[in-house]
Structure formats: structure tokens, C-alpha cells
Amino acid sequence: MSQMRLFSLKMNDGCFMPMLGLGTSAPPQVAKSEVEKAIKRAIDVGYRHIDSAYMYQNEEEIGRAIQMKIAAGTVKRSDLFYTTKLWSTFFRPELVQTCLESSLRKLQLSYVDLYLTHFPIAMKPGEDFFPKDTYGNIIFDTVDLCTTWEALEKCKDAGLAKSIGVSNFNRKQLEMILNEPGLKYKPVCNQVECHPYLNQSKLLEFCKSKDILLVAYATLGSDVRKKWVKKDNPVLLQDPVLNTIAEKHRRTPAQVTLRYQLQRGVAALAKSFNEKRLKENFQVFEFQLTPEDMQSLDGLNRNMRYFEEDSLSHHPNYPFHDEY
């Protein structure tokens, strides 16, 4: 059995997603060239799941790194699982494929393994990622998310995306897609913020009941240099309970938080461009947490988010108002 299949989760469309992925979202202070180097390092370490998005503006660099590793014979395209995301200014059905094709051109790829809606709020189409009026307010667009989903289904049918899913959806928004008359493909996953301080247990339970994978981002907390990250939250990796468990297993706190997700059946994205930490994070398959460890980590939940966006929070589709 291939390594990718061994450490993978089967999705509801029959495709497999590697349980551990490399997140690539970085604050503006990080040079784009660092992303390219990190992808090459990660592939050498053994990562086969790479998560990015149209909005991250780093897909040219990622594409170059992937092409170099394919040309060098390190990996074949079929070894890699690549995710990109539909940005909110492309939610009109006629623009959905345009956004994906733009990503594919930058990546120099003919398909992505997974295409997600990035955030359940439509914004005015155009060049700006966050279109604003003269008062500095975001200009939203009125688009039925179900029609956006139908356009994603067409991207799958066209072979441009092997699997399709959503990101940052709450239960209500997932149910809206699942209950859509004439639904052709249900989302394979819901990618959300998830870590011991926000363990998403109710959303995870709901997703499992519908055969939808939960994919966790901000698994290690988050970089306060990012625009959307709250600046005064406690640092997850300094948590005493987490550190006690890490010491017991002679592992790092990051390894323990990632292992926690894998044992819950959650696919975990970890963002690090540092070679030592890339290697450490990839060692999560080498140990197991005890039921007591898992219980202690469950007990850290405080429904605390690192990611919040105030400029979107008054929109009726803002997903974080609901507990799940």
C-alpha cells in the first residue's frame, strides 16, 4: 500500500485525502520565495498534501516548486494532493470556473485534487479581494450559495477538480447544501479552524454523521502577524496541560496537537516553513496518545477562535455566530 493511502482518510466520493497537510497561508512579511523553498522541503520530508487558495497569492511559487519536484523525479503528480479555494468575489456561478482556471494556470497543473469555497459570504466581483465603498465598508454580492455549489459540481464534472468541498461553513450552511434539491455531489469536507481551544466537537459529530470530513486549520494556534488573527489570545503551544502531555511522550506540543486531531478522525493542516519543524510535525504517525491524554485535551476547549473578521461579522451568512 502506498504511503499516501496508508496515512489517508477516505472521502465520500471514493478519493483519499492524506491526513496531514501543509498549510501555506503566510502573513505579508514572509517573502513569497520562502513559500517555494518550504514546498520543496516539505515534499522532500514526505508531505503529499498541500493546502493553498487563490486568495493567498502564492500559487505561482507553489506551482514552480511542484514542477521542480516532479521534473526531478521526487514525486509524480498523482502522488500529490493539492487543495485550492474559490474566493468570495467569484461566487457568481459564471465566475467559479474562472477562479479555478486562474489557479491552475499559476500552478501549471491540469487539475486540483480538492476545490473548496473559501468563506460562505459573496462579495462584489472585481480585482479587489475586499471591495469597499467610499465609507470603507465591504461591498457584498447577493448570490445563492447553492448556485455557487452547482458551479463547483460542474468543475468536478469537467475534470478540473477531483473533489469538491467547503470551508468555514457552520452546520446550518452545510445543511442548506445537503438539502438542495437535485444535489449531485455532497461536500467531501468542511475545512474549519480547529485546535484544543476550539475543538469543534459538535460540528465534528455532525460532519461524521453526514460522511463529511473535518479538515482543521490553525491546528497549532496562529501567527499574530496575520490580519484576521486576534492579537490578545493565549498562545496554544504554551498551554501547561499540552506541555505536560508532550513531556510525557517526549514529543513537542505541536506534535501532540496534531496527533490529537488525527486520533479524532480529523485531517490536520500544519503551517511551518522551518525545516526542523516540518520534520517534527511529520513525525505524528510515530506515536499515540492515550484515552486519558485525549480526555485532557478535550477538556482544554473554550470555544476560542484565533480567526475573526469584524468587517464581515454583520453579514447574515457570517458563520461564526453559531456555536457550530
Side-chain angles (χ1 to χ4, degrees), residues 64-311:
R64 270 203 299 274
I66 288 173
Q67 295 306 327
M68 279 181 191
K69 286 296 162 190
I70 291 173
T74 312
V75 284
K76 300 193 290 286
R77 170 64 186 97
S78 57
D79 296 330
L80 297 173
F81 186 98
Y82 184 83
T83 302
T84 193
K85 306 181 193 84
L86 170 75
W87 184 239
S88 296
T89 52
F90 291 88
F91 268 34
R92 291 183 187 180
E94 66 274 17
L95 299 177
V96 169
Q97 189 168 317
T98 309
C99 184
L100 178 52
E101 285 170 344
S102 173
S103 286
L104 289 171
R105 270 194 304 277
K106 291 173 189 166
L107 293 159
Q108 306 171 61
L109 297 177
S110 59
Y111 69 91
V112 295
D113 297 273
L114 181 59
Y115 192 31
L116 307 178
T117 52
H118 201 141
F119 203 80
I121 292 177
M123 293 185 235
K124 181 192 169 194
E127 295 299 305
D128 296 332
F129 285 106
F130 292 94
K132 291 181 178 167
D133 63 19
T134 48
Y135 301 101
N137 300 314
I138 287 182
I139 308 169
F140 297 113
D141 199 16
T142 312
V143 182
D144 178 350
L145 289 178
C146 289
T147 63
T148 305
W149 182 255
E150 284 167 16
L152 262 84
E153 291 179 326
K154 287 177 181 160
C155 291
K156 178 174 163 69
D157 282 336
L160 300 175
K162 291 205 164 181
S163 301
I164 52 175
V166 297
S167 181
N168 296 305
F169 272 44
N170 59 28
R171 175 180 174 156
K172 247 186 334 207
Q173 290 158 339
L174 274 170
E175 284 179 328
M176 186 178 67
I177 301 288
L178 294 171
N179 297 333
E180 185 200 352
L183 179 73
K184 192 168 184 183
Y185 307 114
K186 67 179 181 180
V188 294
C189 70
N190 185 18
Q191 187 185 120
V192 294
E193 179 179 348
C194 187
H195 43 76
Y197 287 167
L198 179 74
N199 71 19
Q200 300 276 17
S201 57
K202 286 184 177 175
L203 186 61
L204 174 59
E205 198 181 319
F206 173 74
C207 285
K208 282 184 173 177
S209 77
K210 300 295 181 186
D211 197 16
I212 293 170
L213 280 183
L214 202 72
V215 179
Y217 70 76
T219 48
L220 312 178
S222 197
D223 190 332
V224 292
R225 295 176 297 173
K226 290 181 183 175
K227 175 181 170 282
W228 289 18
V229 172
K230 291 167 101 177
K231 309 297 182 245
D232 51 357
N233 280 348
V235 178
L236 173 67
L237 296 182
Q238 290 174 3
D239 186 273
V241 173
L242 186 56
N243 278 269
T244 301
I245 294 170
E247 281 164 32
K248 182 178 89 173
H249 289 278
R250 296 183 181 164
R251 297 287 169 175
T252 67
Q255 287 171 329
V256 171
T257 59
L258 292 172
R259 184 71 214 176
Y260 170 67
Q261 299 294 7
L262 304 190
Q263 286 185 215
R264 302 167 82 215
V266 173
L269 302 175
K271 201 231 97 185
S272 178
F273 293 170
N274 172 290
E275 189 165 11
K276 179 173 176 281
R277 286 198 291 273
L278 278 169
K279 285 178 179 168
E280 283 174 353
N281 292 346
F282 202 71
Q283 288 162 359
V284 289
F285 302 105
E286 297 172 9
F287 74 104
Q288 259 199 315
L289 298 170
T290 66
E292 294 74 31
D293 296 332
M294 293 297 286
Q295 205 173 348
S296 299
L297 292 166
D298 280 339
L300 294 179
N301 185 56
R302 47 179 93 174
N303 291 325
M304 190 205 83
R305 294 180 183 277
Y306 285 99
F307 281 80
E308 290 205 359
E309 181 45 53
D310 293 338
S311 61

